Amino acid sequence: MKITKTQHSRITAFDEDSIPFGHLFSDHMLVCDYASEAWQRPEIKPYGSWYMAPSSSVFHYGQAVFEGLKAYRDARDSIFLFRPDENAKRLNRSAERLQMPVLPTEIFMEGLKTLVKLDSDWVPRRFGHSLYIRPFLIATQEELRAKPSKTYRFCVVCSPVGAYYEKPLKVVIEQKYSRAASGGTGYAKAAGNYAGALYPTALAIKEGYDQVVWTDAASHGYVEEAGTMNVFFRLGDTLVTPPASDRILDGVTRKSIIALAEREGIQLEQRLISSDEIAAAHREGRLREVFGCGTAAVVSPISALHGKGLDIRLPDLGRQSYGKCMKEKILDIQYNRAADPFGWRLRVV
Ligand code: COI
C-alpha cells in the first residue's frame, strides 16, 4: 500500500467538546481504484477533494454503496474496530446488488487498519465518542449510457463523532411512502435508499417528528425499520424485531443485540410485527419499550410513536430498560471494558 502522509495536519481543529456527527474529517483517506477489470494498488493520502468528470456514471445512475463502522479507544489507549469483517461482507453484498465489483477483503481490512493506525490521534478519548469510519464505493466511468460502469473508486474517510441522536426520538409510522420493496435494494447499503428516505422524513419532521418508522411497501401494515436504524419492540419481557430480509438492512448492531439478548436469557423473536399488534399490545399495557439501533446511533430510545390510529408515549424505564442494558453491553465490548466472548473486537493499535 502506498502511503503519503500529510504535511499539514488539521488535528488542532479537533475539539472533543464539540464534534457534531460527521462534520470534521481526519487527516488521511484510503483510495483504491478499479480499472481494466482489476483492483489497483490501494493508497493512503491526505484527506482532500479530487476531480470527477460531470459525466461520471455515479452522478447519473447512482451506483454508490457505503458502510459505517467505528474505532474505539480504551482506557489504556489501545484502539479497536468492532466486527469489521461484517462490514466487509456487507459492502460486497451491496456491491453485487448494484452490479459493482467485489472488493477483496484484504484491501478493506488492511486499508482500514492502516488508516486508523495512521490517524489514531483522531480517535476520541471520551467513552461514548469514537472515530466513525465511512468506506464507500462509487462508479467513476465517464459514460451516459445506463449500464454498469467499467471503473470504480473505493474510498474510506474518517470522522471523530459523539452521539448521533441527543435525545429519545418521536417517530411516525409511515403510511404512504416506502423505503424498500421486495426484490429491491433495501438490504443493500445503497446510497439511493437513503436519498429516497429524505423526502418522507422531511415531511415527518415538518409534522413535529424526528423520524419515520418504515412499513412494508405492499400493505404499510408491518413495521420494518426506524429512520436509518433497525428497530426493536419490547412486548412484556420479549424483544421483537422484524427479520432481516431483502427489504431490511442486516445491521451489525442489530445482530449484536440479538446475540447479546440470547446470551442474557432475554426472550427474543425475529418475526413480522404489525402496527395493529403494537396498538393491541399498547392497549393491553404490554408495549413497554421501543428502540432503534445502528452503528452511528448505537441504541436510540423511541419515546413516542404516532400514526395509524396510534398516539403512544413511552416512559423511560431507567435501569429496567432492555435498550439501555443492550447499549451498555455493546459499548462495554466496543471500548474493551468487558470480556469479548464472541470475538467481535479487532485491535488495531
Ligand atoms: C450508520 O449507522 O452507520 C449508518 O450508516 C447510518 C447513517 C445514516 C449514519
Side-chain angles (χ1 to χ4, degrees):
M1 188 175 321
K2 182 174 171 206
I3 300 179
T4 310
K5 290 190 189 172
T6 182
Q7 300 300 309
H8 308 283
S9 172
R10 289 171 287 100
I11 191 80
T12 51
F14 169 31
D15 168 11
E16 227 185 302
D17 288 329
S18 164
I19 39 173
F21 191 94
H23 279 239
L24 179 67
F25 296 93
S26 69
D27 280 330
H28 298 92
M29 63 184 184
L30 173 84
V31 173
C32 186
D33 287 326
Y34 180 88
S36 312
E37 299 187 3
W39 285 100
Q40 310 296 304
R41 187 175 171 211
E43 186 181 352
I44 288 179
K45 54 177 162 184
Y47 174 88
S49 50
W50 69 72
Y51 169 81
M52 279 185 66
S55 55
S56 300
S57 56
V58 65
F59 298 138
H60 305 275
Y61 305 117
Q63 275 183 298
V65 298
F66 71 94
E67 273 303 319
L69 70 164
K70 288 171 169 171
Y72 309 86
R73 186 189 292 277
D74 78 359
R76 288 201 212 108
D77 274 342
S78 290
I79 293 172
F80 300 89
L81 300 177
F82 183 72
R83 310 187 74 177
D85 48 317
E86 292 292 337
N87 299 92
K89 282 188 257 174
R90 190 174 59 191
L91 181 82
N92 281 338
R93 291 200 295 276
S94 302
E96 182 189 35
R97 180 62 183 82
L98 271 76
Q99 191 54 36
M100 301 168 91
V102 158
L103 180 79
T105 305
E106 318 82 79
I107 295 183
F108 187 95
M109 297 297 278
E110 289 312 308
L112 258 64
K113 282 194 271 181
T114 313
L115 180 63
V116 170
K117 236 185 240 177
L118 186 62
D119 278 353
S120 60
D121 286 348
W122 289 84
V123 181
R125 298 194 137 62
R126 213 167 288 170
F127 181 65
H129 290 183
S130 55
L131 187 68
Y132 186 79
I133 304 167
R134 170 54 60 84
F136 62 100
L137 173 60
I138 53 169
T140 53
Q141 189 182 354
E142 297 182 36
E143 162 81 63
L144 291 185
R145 192 173 274 274
K147 66 180 186 50
S149 176
K150 285 198 163 72
T151 59
Y152 295 87
R153 173 161 283 195
F154 173 64
C155 179
V156 185
V157 297
C158 301
S159 173
V161 298
Y164 193 80
Y165 293 117
E166 299 288 348
K167 53 184 177 53
L169 301 179
K170 287 184 283 176
V171 298
V172 59
I173 298 184
E174 182 58 57
Q175 288 305 293
K176 179 173 177 188
Y177 299 99
S178 304
R179 175 190 167 275
S182 294
T185 59
Y187 71 93
K189 228 165 152 57
N193 293 345
Y194 293 77
L198 296 176
Y199 176 66
T201 306
L203 295 181
I205 290 172
K206 228 189 244 172
E207 296 291 316
Y209 303 101
D210 300 305
Q211 275 295 348
V212 302
V213 169
W214 299 107
T215 46
D216 71 291
S219 73
H220 290 294
Y222 293 92
V223 166
E224 301 203 320
E225 292 191 20
T228 58
M229 301 181 290
N230 293 116
V231 65
F232 285 77
F233 297 84
R234 176 174 173 185
L235 307 181
D237 283 334
T238 301
L239 278 179
V240 180
T241 191
S245 69
D246 63 350
R247 300 190 304 271
I248 295 184
L249 193 81
D250 185 14
V252 178
T253 312
R254 173 188 181 277
K255 65 169 74 166
S256 305
I257 289 178
I258 291 169
L260 286 168
E262 277 168 4
R263 197 186 62 147
E264 293 299 306
I266 294 173
Q267 184 85 20
L268 186 135
E269 295 171 4
Q270 296 183 60
R271 63 168 173 82
L272 297 182
I273 178 161
S274 66
S275 40
D276 289 345
E277 181 182 352
I278 295 164
H282 178 58
R283 277 195 305 276
E284 292 157 14
R286 287 187 300 111
L287 178 68
R288 299 193 62 197
E289 185 176 2
V290 185
F291 58 87
C293 71
T295 295
V298 194
V299 171
S300 191
I302 289 173
S303 59
L305 194 60
H306 190 83
K308 250 216 139 189
L310 302 183
D311 192 8
I312 297 175
R313 316 254 136 183
L314 291 154
D316 184 343
L317 295 183
R319 299 292 311 159
Q320 304 294 312
S321 157
Y322 281 174
K324 272 196 188 118
C325 166
M326 290 297 116
K327 181 175 181 180
E328 257 173 48
K329 299 229 171 280
I330 288 193
L331 290 177
D332 281 349
I333 295 177
Q334 290 171 332
Y335 287 83
N336 192 24
R337 290 178 160 202
D340 179 19
F342 301 100
W344 287 340
R345 276 194 299 260
L346 178 72
R347 187 193 192 120
V348 289
V349 174

